[in-house]
Every structure is written in structure tokens, then in C-alpha cells.
Amino acid sequence: MNPDVSFVFDYIVPISLSHQYLSSVNSDGNHQKLLQRRQELSNSTTKLPELTTTTFQQTLTFVENFKRNQHKSITDKSRVLLQIPQENTNDNKTLTPQQLRYQLNLKLEQLIRTRVIEPHRVINRSNILPASPIKSKIVPKETFPRIIIPSYLNRSVDKSIISLSTTTINTTVTQDDLIDKDSLGDNDEACEEMMEEEIITFLQQQPMLDKDSFEMETEEYEAEFEEESLRDSESDVDVDNTFPVDPALLLSDKTRRVGSTEVKSGFIPSLFANVPPTIRFCNETERIEPLPLPLQKMMKWKMSSITPNVVKSAVLRSGFRLSDEGNDWLGTWSRHMKPVCFKAIREYQKINHFPGSFQIGRKDRLWRNLSHMQAVHSRREFDFVPQTFVLPADFLLFKRVFDEVSETKESKWIIKPPASARGQGIRVISKMEQVPKKRAVVVQKYIANPYLINGHKFDLRLYVYVPSHDPLRIYLFDDGLTRFASRKYSTSVKSLSDRFMHLTNYSINRYNSEYKSNNDSTACAGHKWSLKALWAYLKKRDVDVADVIERIKDLVIKTIISADSYVNVLTKANVRRKFSVHELFGFDVILDEQCKPYIVEVNISPSLHSNSPLDINVKGSMISDLLNLSGFMIPDRKDMSSDGSSRKKSKLPKSLIFDRRVLPQGLSTDEKVKHQYFAQRHNDEQIRKNIVDLLTPDDLRILVETEDEFARRGSFERIFPTNQTRKYLKYFETPRYYNLLLNEWITKYTRNEDRGIALLNTFCRKEIHLQNPAVDTNHMWTQYQKLHGHLSYRENDNANTNGS
């Protein structure tokens, strides 16, 4: 706590109640409580400082000066108010209680004006004074008393305008807002007694926590920038010509240790020159060096009704402020929106969804897209989804298949609402009359031979992160959850109605008395394991876990590609900049008795609620790595301000803030020619290899973004693109230039990543990646074609090989 704030808590002591007032208070016993509080305070060992009459004379002089200068501007008055005299401890004479109260309220006014005390923590005196006749009223506990302006100040400053720092800038209070002492009688003392009751209650509610060495060092770090942050106020009249932030220090990747804890920098520096850093996030076992206060002011996280606690904790550890108001936020974790709503997202903001991602998030759309891929390519290549029908549109087709299967053997089907979650409305059936004929449902062939562990059915929750759809980049978290049915599996038709046996959702099985929780992420116990624990279990039973994981990756990539075209169209039409959208998917996968994976569903808002240490360990680590991958940046003040007020403040260092020139942007004519050239020849392998021979500024921006993102991946694995994923390019509805570019770049430098990064850095130092259009002819595709167009592709390829 700031020393000036503790000064207010320690020294504002109201005057005791008069006997006349006590006799007038209603007899509900409240005055007895007030007297008891007064006695407790009197018995306290804390003593008030002795304020001298000399100081009081100086204060009166200050008031008279304020009265004479009341015609001046608010800025001039603020300067006068800051000249509050300091007490002189050489004088042994003490002030009267009234003089003490007046002096302390002047001090409180100063602290509010200098923004040491948050304005919303105080309230006006008129808000806590009881109406006449006097009735006992207790101030709400969440507030802190506002400045008490004594009545003799009202007479001294007649009809003056006093500027107060409240929730809005330069709010003014006239004499009409002040209450004359003569009309109050003893209400001054009543108000002060209620203030004392509130202050004591407020102090008693404050948690008494022992500070560790890290917290003490953090406070010292914040104190270094306190003076600058005060000058860097939100007021438009506050102009700060100095800036204490050292970019070289903040961009250093060095870490320090506090005890056994490693403290990392608040920024993750880029691998490349002239590229701004991203904000660092950490899990609960790590620590981050707080960013300077001027930078923290720009870090605001927009809350929503579904923001998970693990997300809140992660952003708070990085220095974000949580708010549900305003539009100056950097990130949010909220529900999916209609595509048109994405148009309101600013360039530097990030929202955790893509427009159109419901194409795989809804069970009926997921099947439509995958069945389309089966028709275009082959059912064999997309055999990881059970046979599915969308009713009532496919009712006749389903009935024919149902009759054919039931004639040969017993058939089991699972019915799901198309857009439900947490197992709602899901049931297993075996008779045609159990199928609804008019209600919209998805009917899927039930996997009757699941892989069982200890006799229980289970499924896998995989966390898949997509930071970009053009180019498509997919990451798979190396851990997840294994969720078991809480009752042993049976193939009997009589057990089909048992949801604890056939459904693996935690939201369902937790209500079973047989459900056993598991708090150890490494243990194979209970009805919920970590994914790593499952892999270890299967390895001991000679299961080819590597093959299972590769099949799962294949399933994930093909599923996301099935909706790629739709998502890209909506993103291009509704999102200002692709930087602003990213998404976490929860893939639910089940293994049959041969350990072949099948997709159950895809969640576009997977549950991140953490009900156990196991959940916290898995989801907390995943979220911190995901936020690091997403690449949040400190925005420029002029981007956040619409009224131009930021121009009056000091500018943030350009090397630390969001720079739209670094991100992919509109293509120049030269770059459009290159895109069209390779898109039309994407089937020619020799031509595709030449795509990285000459890199345009736009190519550099895409590659720099990709390499920086890959360096921040943490425990995520990039499963697309890799040097083995060229085979997936044929599944895209239309060839995308950026996918071709990344595929060839990764293939070329997969065994020599440092060389590729060094090449990009050479161009970034020359600021080639910031040009639009290209100025350097060495990075113009049309010029390259003129010089090298006469070479055959084989000669060109040999020249590149010899040069490398």
C-alpha cells in the first residue's frame, strides 16, 4: 500500500458524538455500537501525530489564496491545491480536533488529485449524511468515505468551484453541493461517527497477508515508476514529456530468481529486428516481471459471462485489468458471435472465435462438411466419423439403412441434438419408434465395441488451437483429459437407458454416487485422467501410442480443412485484420477396441472450468501457452483514443507497441501477380519450390509471424503445416498461396531452422517487411521474373542448391 494512502487510513479520526445528539438518535441500539467502536479506537496503541498551529496558519493562507484565484482555470487551481503546507514538528502546540479534521481533509483532497487514491473508493459527504429528521444509516461496506469539507471552509470559499477527481475527468462541485453547518446542527458529528464505523469495518475486512520476497520486490518495481505514472494521468491536461521505460531492458530475455522462483520478463521479444514484442503469460507456478505502469494502463481485458477462471487468472498474472465496460480492451474470452458482429473488432483486439467456426462446432454442420469431403475424395480417407444422418431431412434414408442393419444383427444408434453441450438430450436407442420424426436431431451409428479400461468406456478431450486460417496453422496441446463413464460397460440392450454407462461427459457422471475423482495428473485412478497418463497406461499394454497419436492428428487436420473455405470467406468479409481472430477447439475422440480413433464432436467453446487440481494443472498450463501463442501486443494510444486526447500525452516507444505494418495487409499489384502465378501452378512440384526464391514484403510478414508464433508454442505442437503435411493441400477447396508458401518454407528449412530465421532477420533489419508496396527491386516478383524467367526450372533449382 502507498504510504500516502496509509496516512489517510491512520489519521482520519472523526470528532466524538455530543450528548445532545446521542439523545436524539433512535433507540435501536446503533449508538451503543458506535460508542463501543469509539472505545476500541481510543484503547488502540496508535497515536495521532501532533499537527501544529503554524501548519494551521499556513493552511488558512492557502484557503485564502484559493479563494482569490477561483477565477483561474482548473489547471491553475490544481497547481494551487498541490501546494498544501506540510506540518512543522518543531512547534509543540497541537491543533484542535476541528483543525485536525480540516487539515486531514485537505491532505485527502491532494491524494485524490494526484491519483494516489482511486476516485471510485470515496463518496461525497452528502451521500452519507442522514436526511432530517436524523435516522441511523450505515454506509455500504464496499465504499470508502469521500472528502469531508468542513462547514467553515464553505464560508471561506464562498460560491467557489472546486475540481474533484471522480469517475469522469474534471467533475466540478459548487456550493450547492456543500451543506451549511448551521443547518446541520450536530449532524457533523453524526456523519463523522458513521464514517468512523465504516473505516473501522473497512480496515477489519482487509486481508492480512505476509508478503514474500517477490511481492516486496514487485512493490519496489512499481514505486520506481510511480512519479511518472502520476504525471501520465488519464486527464487531457496532463502532459508528460518524459518517459521512464527502457525498451532495451524490457526486451531483454534475461530472467532473475527470487528464492526458488524464476521471474521472467513481461515481454516475449521477437526473433526479428523491427518487430514488436508480445505480452508474456504464465501459469500459477511461474512469475512475470510487471510491465511499467504506463504500459499496464493499456492492458485491459473485456470480461464476459462465460470467461473461465483459468483465463482470468492468466491475464491477471500478466498485469491486465478486468473490465466489462468500454471498447478499449485488448482481448476477451466470450461466446460466439454472428459474423457481422466481428466488424466492430479493432485491429489490435483479439476475440477467441472465427466467424463461421460453427461449421464444425454444430454436429449437423460437422457431418455435412465431412460427408462432402467423403464424396469429393473418398470415404476411406475420411473414415474416422461414424455413419450419420441429419433428421428430419434424412429420415427416409435413415429408415432404409436402419431396416437393412436390423435384419442382419442388432443395431444401436445414438441420438444427439445438433447444437447441445454437456451431454444434454443424448440417448442411445435400438428401435425405430424411439427416433423423433419432426424434431431436428443427429442420429449416428453407435460404436458398440469401444476400447475399455477396467471395464469402463472413455473418450479423449483434445485441445486444438487455430491462430490463423489463411495461412492455416493448427496446434495440438500435448496434454488433455481422459473422461470415463462411471459405470462398467455392457452390450445388453436393457442397459441402453443408463447414461452413466454409455456417456462419458463429466457433467453427467459427477452425479453418480459411484463417481471417483482424481486430483493427480500423473495417476491412472478415478474417472478422469490426464491424457499423458492414458498414453503411459497404453504403452505398458503394448499399444502403439505413436500410431494412435498420428491418426488423431490426421483426424484433426482433415476436420478443420473441411470448414476452411467457409471460415475464410466470412473472415475476409467481416474481420478488419486476421490478427484479431483465433480459436480453441475441444475435440472429443473415442477409441474402438482396435484403438482406431473416431470423432465424436467438436466444441467451439470447450469447458475450461477447473474443479480439481487435475483440471487446473492441464487447463491452466494450456491456457497460458495458448495466450502466448496468440501474440497480444501493447496498442498505440492513438489507436485506442477516438478524440485525439492521446496526442497530449507522451508517446510510447515504437519498438514496444502494436505496429500494423508488421502484420499481413493489403497486397500490392506486384504481390498479386505472384499469388496468381503460383495458385494457378500449385500442382507443379518444381514450380512450387521456386515460391521461396524471392520473398516479397508480404511473404516476409507471413513468415516472420509464423516463426515468431512457433517460438512461443510452449507445450503445443504445430501439426499443420509441417514437412510431412504436403499431402493435405489437395483437400482444400481452392489452393491458397499462403499455404503453399509455408509448406515450401518449412520443407526447405526443416533441418536448418536457424538458417531460415537468420535470412529473414537480414531482411527485417533493412525493414523490407515494413514496405507496402515493395521499394527494393530485389523483392519485386515482376523484376525477378524478368531476370530469371529464361532459366528452366531444373537449372533454377540447381542454382539454388549450389548457392546453399
Side-chain angles (χ1 to χ4, degrees):
M1 180 181 296
N2 189 288
D4 288 334
V5 179
S6 63
F7 175 89
V8 176
F9 286 160
D10 292 341
Y11 296 113
I12 293 188
V13 182
I15 307 171
S16 59
L17 290 170
S18 64
H19 294 289
Q20 292 84 353
Y21 169 71
L22 288 176
S23 61
S24 64
V25 178
N26 55 357
S27 58
D28 60 355
N30 286 335
H31 66 281
Q32 295 294 340
K33 296 180 180 179
L34 298 179
L35 289 177
Q36 181 179 357
R37 294 291 189 186
R38 167 65 65 187
Q39 187 62 33
E40 293 175 1
L41 185 63
S42 301
N43 295 336
S44 175
T45 58
T46 304
K47 296 184 179 180
L48 300 176
E50 294 185 349
L51 302 181
T52 64
T53 55
T54 302
T55 304
F56 182 62
Q57 285 296 329
Q58 295 173 354
T59 303
L60 293 180
T61 303
F62 155 76
V63 174
E64 291 300 322
N65 290 336
F66 182 86
K67 180 179 179 181
R68 288 195 299 269
N69 293 289
Q70 60 181 318
H71 62 281
K72 294 185 178 181
S73 66
I74 293 177
T75 305
D76 295 331
K77 286 183 182 180
S78 299
R79 294 196 186 99
V80 174
L81 285 174
L82 291 177
Q83 299 173 359
I84 295 179
Q86 303 296 322
E87 60 176 332
N88 183 5
T89 56
N90 295 330
D91 197 333
N92 294 328
K93 296 182 180 180
T94 60
L95 294 174
T96 64
Q98 289 81 2
Q99 294 167 345
L100 171 63
R101 179 183 62 182
Y102 177 56
Q103 182 78 343
L104 297 179
N105 281 287
L106 289 178
K107 178 63 176 178
L108 182 59
E109 172 71 16
Q110 176 200 12
L111 298 180
I112 293 177
R113 290 186 178 282
T114 56
R115 303 183 68 83
V116 174
I117 295 180
E118 294 292 336
H120 68 274
R121 299 298 302 276
V122 293
I123 59 174
N124 284 323
R125 173 185 180 178
S126 57
N127 293 340
I128 62 174
L129 281 175
S132 182
I134 304 172
K135 294 183 180 181
S136 176
K137 183 178 180 181
I138 303 299
V139 185
K141 292 185 178 181
E142 66 273 13
T143 60
F144 184 79
R146 182 66 165 138
I147 305 169
I148 303 296
I149 302 181
S151 55
Y152 47 81
L153 178 60
N154 299 354
R155 294 193 294 268
S156 301
V157 190
D158 185 31
K159 296 182 179 180
S160 63
I161 298 178
I162 303 175
S163 175
L164 299 177
S165 299
T166 57
T167 55
T168 57
I169 306 300
N170 296 332
T171 303
T172 57
V173 179
T174 62
Q175 188 187 15
D176 296 334
D177 298 314
L178 306 177
I179 305 175
D180 188 79
K181 181 179 180 179
D182 297 334
S183 64
L184 285 177
D186 292 330
N187 285 7
D188 278 349
E189 297 177 353
C191 173
E192 293 162 357
E193 195 66 27
M194 285 185 290
M195 281 181 56
E196 177 184 335
E197 172 74 13
E198 174 57 23
I199 293 173
I200 295 174
T201 304
F202 177 85
L203 292 176
Q204 288 178 342
Q205 291 179 342
Q206 300 307 302
M208 303 299 294
L209 301 177
D210 295 330
K211 299 180 181 178
D212 58 20
S213 56
F214 176 82
E215 292 172 337
M216 296 175 66
E217 289 193 20
T218 300
E219 291 182 359
E220 294 174 3
Y221 180 87
E222 294 176 348
E224 294 176 5
F225 297 96
E226 182 174 310
E227 181 178 356
E228 288 79 7
S229 66
L230 294 179
R231 290 199 301 266
D232 194 30
S233 169
E234 294 296 329
S235 173
D236 291 347
V237 300
D238 191 7
V239 182
D240 184 8
N241 296 323
T242 62
F243 196 83
V245 177
D246 182 5
L249 180 62
L250 293 175
L251 294 179
S252 173
D253 206 19
K254 294 182 179 180
T255 59
R256 64 184 179 92
R257 299 195 68 85
V258 178
S260 59
T261 304
E262 188 178 73
V263 183
K264 299 182 179 180
S265 168
F267 276 134
I268 300 178
S270 172
L271 299 175
F272 308 97
N274 299 309
V275 177
T278 58
I279 301 172
R280 188 187 299 275
F281 298 85
C282 68
N283 57 41
E284 60 181 7
T285 63
E286 301 171 330
R287 295 294 180 92
I288 292 178
E289 192 82 50
L291 292 175
L293 295 180
L295 296 177
Q296 287 191 23
K297 286 183 179 180
M298 316 298 289
M299 298 166 59
K300 184 177 178 180
W301 189 272
K302 184 176 179 62
M303 294 294 295
S304 75
S305 59
I306 68 164
T307 304
N309 288 333
V310 290
V311 175
K312 296 178 188 177
S313 301
V315 298
L316 285 173
R317 285 191 294 266
S318 292
F320 277 83
R321 294 176 292 115
L322 305 181
S323 175
D324 56 0
E325 298 178 353
N327 196 33
D328 55 346
W329 46 271
L330 271 64
T332 185
W333 196 280
S334 60
R335 299 181 185 278
H336 201 284
M337 305 187 301
K338 293 183 178 180
V340 68
C341 298
F342 284 83
K343 293 183 178 181
I345 306 300
R346 298 182 180 181
E347 290 183 320
Y348 60 86
Q349 295 175 330
K350 277 185 174 289
I351 185 170
N352 62 309
H353 291 293
F354 284 97
S357 59
F358 57 84
Q359 285 292 320
I360 60 175
R362 284 179 58 104
K363 300 176 183 64
D364 53 351
R365 302 290 178 88
L366 173 64
W367 165 246
R368 294 295 189 195
N369 286 307
L370 291 177
S371 63
H372 173 73
M373 299 297 280
Q374 288 179 347
V376 173
H377 301 283
S378 69
R379 186 179 298 272
R380 182 178 179 181
E381 295 185 45
F382 289 81
D383 63 346
F384 50 81
V385 55
Q387 189 176 17
T388 306
F389 301 91
V390 179
L391 305 186
D394 299 337
F395 182 81
L396 294 179
L397 179 60
F398 167 68
K399 186 176 185 303
R400 183 168 67 251
V401 173
F402 182 91
D403 293 339
E404 292 175 356
V405 174
S406 60
E407 290 178 358
T408 57
K409 59 180 178 179
E410 184 181 88
S411 63
K412 297 177 183 177
W413 300 82
I414 186 167
I415 296 179
K416 308 175 183 179
S420 67
R422 299 184 297 276
Q424 298 177 356
I426 299 179
R427 56 196 180 100
V428 182
I429 60 100
S430 61
K431 298 180 181 179
M432 190 64 195
E433 53 267 24
Q434 296 173 304
V435 179
K437 295 180 176 58
K438 296 182 179 181
R439 182 161 52 91
V441 293
V442 174
V443 182
Q444 197 170 68
K445 191 75 175 68
Y446 185 70
I447 300 176
N449 59 332
Y451 190 97
L452 303 178
I453 294 181
N454 299 325
H456 291 263
K457 178 183 175 181
F458 66 92
D459 74 350
L460 315 179
R461 166 57 60 88
L462 308 168
Y463 295 106
V464 177
Y465 178 60
V466 181
S468 170
H469 256 280
D470 188 20
L472 180 61
R473 297 192 295 265
I474 307 174
Y475 290 85
L476 176 65
F477 192 59
D478 69 349
D479 204 355
L481 297 174
T482 307
R483 306 173 303 180
F484 287 83
S486 55
R487 193 164 291 164
K488 287 190 175 184
Y489 182 74
S490 173
T491 58
S492 173
V493 177
K494 297 180 180 179
S495 67
L496 293 183
S497 60
D498 191 342
R499 292 165 61 86
F500 297 142
M501 178 184 298
H502 296 282
L503 302 184
T504 58
N505 306 73
Y506 166 76
S507 56
I508 292 176
N509 285 278
R510 62 177 177 172
Y511 295 109
N512 186 7
S513 59
E514 303 175 21
Y515 182 85
K516 297 179 181 179
S517 60
N518 176 22
N519 295 327
D520 189 351
S521 60
T522 62
C524 298
H527 292 106
K528 183 186 287 188
W529 300 359
S530 69
L531 191 60
K532 289 182 177 180
L534 174 67
W535 298 145
Y537 176 90
L538 295 179
K539 284 180 180 179
K540 293 180 180 179
R541 281 145 184 84
D542 297 328
V543 175
D544 190 350
V545 173
D547 179 67
V548 175
I549 295 176
E550 288 302 317
R551 289 189 179 191
I552 289 175
K553 293 178 184 178
D554 177 77
L555 173 156
V556 169
I557 295 171
K558 290 177 178 177
T559 299
I560 292 178
I561 290 178
S562 70
D564 175 79
S565 178
Y566 196 88
V567 172
N568 270 293
V569 169
L570 290 181
T571 300
K572 186 176 181 180
N574 298 284
V575 180
R576 299 184 190 180
R577 199 171 289 273
K578 293 179 287 186
F579 169 84
S580 299
V581 286
H582 62 132
E583 189 144 17
L584 173 69
F585 295 97
F587 273 70
D588 290 346
V589 174
I590 189 171
L591 304 179
D592 66 9
E593 59 185 2
Q594 303 299 324
C595 283
K596 177 183 177 181
Y598 288 87
I599 186 171
V600 177
E601 63 179 2
V602 179
N603 298 272
I604 58 176
S605 294
S607 173
L608 295 178
H609 295 299
S610 302
N611 303 309
S612 67
L614 170 62
D615 287 330
I616 295 174
N617 183 53
V618 174
K619 298 177 183 179
S621 299
M622 184 269 297
I623 283 297
S624 62
D625 286 345
L626 181 150
L627 295 175
N628 283 328
L629 259 176
S630 61
F632 284 89
M633 300 182 191
I634 299 290
D636 193 351
R637 280 173 170 157
K638 66 181 181 181
D639 293 332
M640 300 185 70
S641 177
S642 59
D643 57 1
S645 60
S646 62
R647 298 178 182 177
K648 301 180 181 180
K649 302 176 185 177
S650 62
K651 294 183 178 180
L652 300 174
K654 291 183 178 180
S655 60
L656 299 179
I657 62 175
F658 175 87
D659 187 351
R660 59 174 57 87
R661 299 177 302 167
V662 175
L663 303 177
Q665 47 192 305
L667 298 176
S668 66
T669 303
D670 179 77
E671 290 165 343
K672 290 179 181 178
V673 172
K674 184 181 180 185
H675 282 224
Q676 184 178 10
Y677 178 86
F678 285 99
Q680 293 175 348
R681 297 165 176 81
H682 67 279
N683 289 324
D684 191 322
E685 184 177 350
Q686 291 297 330
I687 291 181
R688 283 204 313 264
K689 290 182 178 180
N690 297 331
I691 197 172
V692 295
D693 289 346
L694 179 134
L695 298 176
T696 66
D698 181 67
D699 293 340
L700 293 176
R701 288 189 285 268
I702 292 293
L703 295 176
V704 164
E705 179 186 58
T706 301
E707 292 291 358
D708 263 341
E709 178 185 274
F710 184 73
R712 303 190 302 262
R713 66 190 181 279
S715 296
F716 277 90
E717 177 190 359
R718 188 174 66 194
I719 62 175
F720 186 91
T722 70
N723 62 328
Q724 302 293 329
T725 55
R726 179 180 295 176
K727 60 183 179 181
Y728 294 102
L729 295 178
K730 65 181 180 181
Y731 298 126
F732 288 87
E733 186 172 314
T734 57
R736 301 195 179 277
Y737 172 84
Y738 291 140
N739 292 333
L740 301 175
L741 174 68
L742 287 189
N743 179 78
E744 296 303 326
W745 175 266
I746 293 172
T747 301
K748 183 175 182 178
Y749 293 103
T750 186
R751 297 183 179 180
N752 199 349
E753 296 179 0
D754 293 340
R755 182 170 169 234
I757 292 174
L759 176 63
L760 295 178
N761 215 358
T762 301
F763 300 141
C764 289
R765 291 192 185 97
K766 299 177 182 178
E767 298 187 352
I768 304 297
H769 65 301
L770 302 181
Q771 298 177 8
N772 188 26
V775 178
D776 191 334
T777 56
N778 294 324
H779 295 273
M780 294 182 180
W781 169 250
T782 52
Q783 295 295 324
Y784 177 83
Q785 276 188 311
K786 290 179 182 179
L787 295 175
H788 302 279
H790 63 281
L791 293 176
S792 67
Y793 297 125
R794 182 177 299 275
E795 292 172 343
N796 197 6
D797 184 56
N798 293 336
N800 293 331
T801 304
N802 295 332
S804 61

